[in-house]
Structure formats: structure tokens, C-alpha cells
Amino acid sequence: MTDGPAAPRGPRARTTAAYLRYVAGKLAGAAVSLLAVLVTSFFLFRLIPGDPVKFMTGGRQVSAEQLANYREQFGLDLPWWQQFTDYCGKALTGDLGTSYQFNAPVIDKITEALPNTLLLTGTAFVIYTLLGVFLGTRSAWRHGRLGDRLHTGLALTLYSVPSFWLGLLLIVTLAVGIGPLPGLFPTGGMESGSEDGFGYVLDVAHHLVLPVVTLVAVEYGQTLLVTRSALLDEMGSDYLTTARAKGLRDDLVRRRHAVPNALLPTVTLIFINLGRTVAGVILVETVFSWPGLGGLFYQALSVPDLPLVQGLFFVFAAAVIVMNTLADLIYPLLDPRVGR
């Protein structure tokens, strides 16, 4: 007895299968991107001028034999292809090598500096995301009015300002002081080193103000402009006209209908910025001497400490790739048309 024809799959089964194919494609793309970053991180930083072995000797006069021993100890005497295969093999097991200048595992240095970066950039991320979405929504809904022009002009101006220049300006005006105006905030660092308990929390918060203000001032404009543009595109839609015709208040139409449908570009931007939160902001951390991943990356580049630079670069890129992939996976849940 032969089986009858297979029952046609329902719409829900077809949608699930399409989403699974979509997820598989995005995960495969992320894996290829991570592999490309791994390869790039090895070869790119080999182009940096400087001899890490001479840095490790501290400028002392050493014999050629001692230099050769250092190179052998860190595997720098091996051919590039062998260094590359060793690096990739270890990286795939979570071993990013040993830092030249700290003589410690790279993963330990990254783990040590990561909480400081998350504190700084995470605080700034929450503030500038909420501020950008709120002001972007209000600017779009009051398009063309004085408030919209002021917010847009200020956002464009601050977004074009280099973060390191703004940080230096804040240090000069609010940390060092100008004329009779005294400095109100520390010029750099994360703590004074003389506080305990709740006093330590206040001390860290005091040091946190200027770098957070710098990041918020530079970054909130991008979120504002993207949110404003997306909402302006939605405002002429027929469903909003229908909602108003039913007697709904403008505020309710904006919150319940317009904003949720305009959030897709903003969600992408939020996830990209979330990935950058892990990476930190190298220039800002350097200007304010903040002991995070950005400052560690700058310090490693000056040697050059190849294992540390490669490890940090891979972590920075991986964070952005992972967050972009998460945004792509969430897209179909917000808009079912995506991924079909």
C-alpha cells in the first residue's frame, strides 16, 4: 500500500522554515567574518614599524645572542606561515597568546580591563541611546519647528566634532579651570586611590563624568538623526491618517503606531553601538587615561605588543559582528517581512 501525497505545509511551517534558513545564513556569514578578522588581525599588525624584542630589553645594551633568545622565547624566529598557523590554532581554543610587555596571557589582560570599559561606555551608551531616541522622536513629530531645527543643528555639530578634541576641551575648561574658574573634575584616571566604601563609588563617579559627557555629546546625535529620519518616513503613511481619523490623540498615535514601526533602523544602530561598547572608545580612554580596553590597545600599539594588539583587535571586531548578527536575528521578530 503506497503512502498518499504529503499534506501541504501550513503557512506557519513555511514561515518557520524560512526563518531557520535565514538564521543559518546569518550565522554562516558571521562565522566567515570572524575567520576573516582572525586572519586580518595577524597580518595587519605585522606592518607596524618597531621591534618588540628591543622594547622588551628596555633600551639596554644586549648581545645578539640574548636578542635571539627573546625571539625564540616568543616564537618570533619562526617563519610567518608557522607563526600564523600557531596563532590560529591557539585562538580557536581561546588562547590569544602572551603579552610581550606584561608577560601575562592576553586573555587575562583583556578580562582585567573589560569591566572598566563596560562601566564607561556602558553608562554613556544608556544615556545617549535614551536621549537620542527621545529627542529624535520629538524632533520628527515637530518637524520644521524651532525645537527641531535646534536639536538637529546641535546633533550635526557635535557628531562632527572629534571625540579627542572635545575631551581635551572639557579637560581644559572643567578639569584644569580657566582664569578664576577652578577645575571641578579630575583630569584623568578612574580613581584617586584614597577612598573606601561608598566614598570609592563617589570617587569613581566623579572621574566618570567628563569621559561620559564626551561620549554622550559625540554619539547621541547619530541616534537622534537616525530615529528622526525613520519616523519622518513613517509619518505620511495611510495607517497613521486612519488612526487620527478614529479620534486618537497625536501623542497616542506617535507612541502606539508610528514609533514602533520606525524603530528598525534605530535597532540596528543600537546593536552596532552595543558592540562598540565592548570595544570601548580608544581615543576617549586615552585622553582621560581611563584604564580600559581602549587605553590598553593604545598602549599595546606603541610597543608594538603583537599578541595583545591582535587579541584586542579580534575582541573588538568580534563584539561588533556578534551584535550585528543578533540585530539581524531579531529583525524578523519585529517585522515579519524580513527574512522571507
Side-chain angles (χ1 to χ4, degrees), residues 197-260:
F198 186 65
Y200 173 78
V201 175
L202 293 178
D203 184 37
V204 172
H206 193 210
H207 285 76
L208 198 62
V209 172
L210 290 186
V212 166
V213 168
T214 302
L215 289 176
V216 170
V218 172
E219 297 291 344
Y220 94 97
Q222 185 182 21
T223 308
L224 183 152
L225 294 171
V226 170
T227 303
R228 177 181 178 274
S229 176
L231 188 54
L232 284 175
D233 289 341
E234 289 290 328
M235 284 175 57
S237 301
D238 292 339
Y239 70 91
L240 295 183
T241 304
T242 303
R244 291 191 187 95
K246 291 180 178 180
L248 293 179
R249 300 191 312 272
D250 250 18
D251 183 58
L252 206 58
V253 171
R254 181 177 72 246
R255 286 190 290 108
R256 287 190 180 179
H257 299 280
V259 172

Side-chain angles (χ1 to χ4, degrees), residues 261-299:
N261 286 291
L263 278 182
L264 276 181
T266 307
V267 167
T268 302
L269 181 61
I270 288 173
F271 273 90
I272 291 174
N273 288 336
L274 195 57
R276 291 173 56 197
T277 297
V278 179
V281 181
I282 297 172
L283 293 177
V284 172
E285 289 193 358
T286 303
V287 167
F288 289 97
S289 302
W290 190 265
L293 295 179
L296 187 64
F297 186 74
Y298 177 81
Q299 191 176 352

Side-chain angles (χ1 to χ4, degrees), residues 2-321:
T2 59
D3 294 333
R9 294 187 301 170
R12 186 165 187 171
R14 288 195 296 270
T15 301
T16 302
Y19 179 69
L20 291 177
R21 287 194 299 270
Y22 174 80
V23 170
K26 293 299 179 182
L27 292 179
V32 172
S33 298
L34 287 173
L35 183 60
V37 168
L38 191 65
V39 174
T40 303
S41 67
F42 177 84
F43 289 104
L44 177 64
F45 297 108
R46 290 305 193 277
L47 303 177
I48 300 175
D51 189 349
V53 173
K54 291 183 178 179
F55 173 86
M56 287 183 281
T57 62
R60 303 186 305 272
Q61 291 292 332
V62 294
S63 65
E65 184 181 353
Q66 288 175 310
L67 290 176
N69 288 336
Y70 273 118
R71 288 191 169 89
E72 182 179 357
Q73 178 183 348
F74 290 99
L76 295 173
D77 61 327
L78 300 174
W80 276 30
W81 66 267
Q82 192 170 346
Q83 292 183 44
F84 174 67
T85 54
D86 289 346
Y87 167 68
C88 290
K90 291 179 179 179
L92 293 175
T93 64
D95 181 2
L96 297 176
T98 301
S99 168
Y100 296 158
Q101 57 182 321
F102 298 107
N103 196 26
V106 168
I107 195 66
D108 289 351
K109 298 303 298 182
I110 292 175
T111 304
E112 179 184 323
L114 180 60
N116 300 337
T117 288
L118 292 180
L119 175 63
L120 170 60
T121 54
T123 302
F125 168 78
V126 172
I127 295 174
Y128 70 66
T129 298
L130 294 177
L131 187 65
V133 171
F134 175 73
L135 293 180
T137 301
R138 291 181 63 86
S139 292
W141 211 251
R142 292 166 172 77
H143 176 58
R145 298 183 186 177
L146 178 61
D148 173 40
R149 293 197 296 270
L150 289 176
H151 287 313
T152 304
L154 182 61
L156 286 170
T157 301
L158 290 176
Y159 185 55
S160 63
V161 171
S163 58
F164 72 90
W165 182 85
L166 181 58
L168 291 172
L169 186 64
L170 290 178
I171 289 175
V172 170
T173 55
L174 298 178
V176 177
I178 297 180
L181 298 176
L184 302 176
F185 300 96
T187 56
M190 183 176 170
E191 57 180 290
S192 300
S194 58
E195 302 291 342
D196 294 318
F198 186 65
Y200 173 78
V201 175
L202 293 178
D203 184 37
V204 172
H206 193 210
H207 285 76
L208 198 62
V209 172
L210 290 186
V212 166
V213 168
T214 302
L215 289 176
V216 170
V218 172
E219 297 291 344
Y220 94 97
Q222 185 182 21
T223 308
L224 183 152
L225 294 171
V226 170
T227 303
R228 177 181 178 274
S229 176
L231 188 54
L232 284 175
D233 289 341
E234 289 290 328
M235 284 175 57
S237 301
D238 292 339
Y239 70 91
L240 295 183
T241 304
T242 303
R244 291 191 187 95
K246 291 180 178 180
L248 293 179
R249 300 191 312 272
D250 250 18
D251 183 58
L252 206 58
V253 171
R254 181 177 72 246
R255 286 190 290 108
R256 287 190 180 179
H257 299 280
V259 172
N261 286 291
L263 278 182
L264 276 181
T266 307
V267 167
T268 302
L269 181 61
I270 288 173
F271 273 90
I272 291 174
N273 288 336
L274 195 57
R276 291 173 56 197
T277 297
V278 179
V281 181
I282 297 172
L283 293 177
V284 172
E285 289 193 358
T286 303
V287 167
F288 289 97
S289 302
W290 190 265
L293 295 179
L296 187 64
F297 186 74
Y298 177 81
Q299 191 176 352
L301 274 176
S302 62
V303 174
D305 188 342
L306 294 179
L308 187 55
V309 170
Q310 290 168 180
L312 286 167
F313 180 80
F314 180 75
V315 169
F316 293 167
V320 175
I321 291 171

